[in-house]
Amino acid sequence: MTKFDLRPEDCIKGMSRLGRGSVDLVVTSPPYNLGIKYSRYSDKQDRSTYLKWSRAWAAEVQRVLRSAGSFFLNIGCAPSNPMLPYEIAIELRDLFVLQNTIHWIKSISLADQEGIVRSHGHFKPISSKRFVNDCHEYIFHFSLDGKVELDRLALGVPYQDKSNIARWSHTKGSDLRCRGNTWFVPYETIQRRDKERPHPATFPVQLAEWCIRLHGVARAHTVLDPFLGIGNSAVAAKQCGVGKFIGFEIDEMYLAEAKRRIHGNVEAASVRRRSGR
């Protein structure tokens, strides 16, 4: 069972009380400074103030992260503000090594072999004559030295061309290859945001789960999310069987929802086990 340590406080202050090198894995998504209406946080800082704040909390992440740890940072932008993710990555470049850049695809349209276009996922339409619809975000995988080994096949996918299994020696006869750096993870469809997803900016549980599995569940003894929100990363940690999860959240309403969702997830898992599913 995962041990949860969920704290109603600012993450910079909270992380300052954690021991140096005490965390194996950080999975988080901070506010993007795009004017989203949070109840306890102003998402409209000037650019320099926002980047300075980003560096301050990231410096605490660097301090608490173990030498072989991973830091997965989900960050998005608005079409009218496309440089934000890159500016954050540059701001953190003397704290971490950018080891991988993953593209979270929220919506995609593909033509099949018959030429029929099929769309998958969800997107927020943009009414503009200048910009196309924004259908993806970034996940920056940082580490302290750029040399952290990953469990690449934990998210493995089968080969489309099965002849590759025999032709390529690195497969070792297995029909499984690295998924790569494009992850299609759509949101679950909901009917009422206030009851099903009462937070203005969340990532799917699956996204956090894939970050945990890519780092390696066996090495993720302690997982941290400095911006817990309604607890999707905590639910993911529970589903992966992580030993300990630490989360910080300044909004007590979001924190209460996170605790409710974690408890509900535990109950649902228990029901599945009893029913043999």
Side-chain angles (χ1 to χ4, degrees), residues 32-271:
Y32 297 171
N33 205 40
L34 299 177
I36 293 174
K37 293 182 179 179
Y38 298 97
S39 58
R40 288 281 310 274
Y41 171 80
S42 175
D43 199 40
K44 295 183 178 180
Q45 304 179 51
D46 65 79
R47 182 60 60 89
S48 62
T49 299
Y50 175 76
L51 291 175
K52 183 178 179 180
W53 171 74
S54 297
R55 181 182 176 82
W57 66 257
E60 284 299 321
V61 169
Q62 182 206 42
R63 188 184 65 81
V64 302
L65 193 66
R66 289 199 172 104
S67 59
S70 289
F71 167 28
F72 289 93
L73 173 63
N74 166 224
I75 197 79
C77 60
S80 58
N81 187 18
M83 292 300 294
L84 178 63
Y86 306 108
E87 288 180 298
I88 292 177
I90 291 172
E91 187 72 22
L92 306 188
R93 64 183 174 181
D94 62 339
L95 297 175
F96 303 97
V97 174
L98 179 56
Q99 187 167 323
N100 289 283
T101 299
I102 297 164
H103 301 268
W104 167 26
I105 310 301
K106 300 191 242 184
S107 175
I108 191 168
S109 296
L110 297 170
D112 61 21
Q113 293 181 342
E114 286 73 37
I116 299 175
V117 176
R118 304 184 188 278
S119 295
H120 306 272
H122 305 80
F123 65 92
K124 184 178 181 179
I126 294 174
S127 179
S128 171
K129 294 184 178 180
R130 295 187 295 152
F131 305 118
V132 297
N133 287 337
D134 191 11
C135 299
H136 97 293
E137 293 187 12
Y138 296 93
I139 304 171
F140 293 133
H141 169 224
F142 293 106
S143 60
L144 296 180
D145 61 6
K147 300 178 181 179
V148 172
E149 294 187 3
L150 301 174
D151 190 355
R152 288 161 31 98
L153 297 186
L155 305 180
V157 295
Y159 286 95
Q160 183 173 3
D161 183 352
K162 303 304 181 183
S163 68
N164 291 334
I165 300 172
R167 288 192 301 113
W168 295 348
S169 61
H170 71 267
T171 68
K172 298 180 181 178
S174 174
D175 184 15
L176 204 62
R177 67 169 178 83
C178 173
R179 181 177 295 269
N181 63 356
T182 52
W183 294 0
F184 175 55
V185 183
Y187 282 105
E188 292 183 7
T189 299
I190 61 174
Q191 302 300 320
R192 292 188 59 183
R193 172 176 286 278
D194 60 333
K195 292 188 177 297
E196 298 177 66
R197 197 186 295 152
H199 188 282
T202 61
F203 52 51
V205 171
Q206 183 181 352
L207 194 75
E209 182 179 339
W210 282 13
C211 291
I212 296 170
R213 294 193 183 282
L214 180 61
H215 173 73
V217 172
R219 297 188 295 113
H221 304 290
T222 300
V223 176
L224 165 68
D225 186 348
F227 302 95
L228 180 64
I230 59 173
N232 283 7
S233 56
V235 173
K238 180 63 185 180
Q239 292 178 350
C240 290
V242 167
K244 183 177 181 180
F245 179 91
I246 303 170
F248 297 100
E249 176 53 55
I250 61 172
D251 190 306
E252 293 186 2
M253 182 180 69
Y254 295 156
L255 185 62
E257 176 65 14
K259 291 178 179 179
R260 186 194 69 80
R261 294 179 71 246
I262 293 167
H263 180 67
N265 179 261
V266 170
E267 286 187 339
S270 177
V271 169

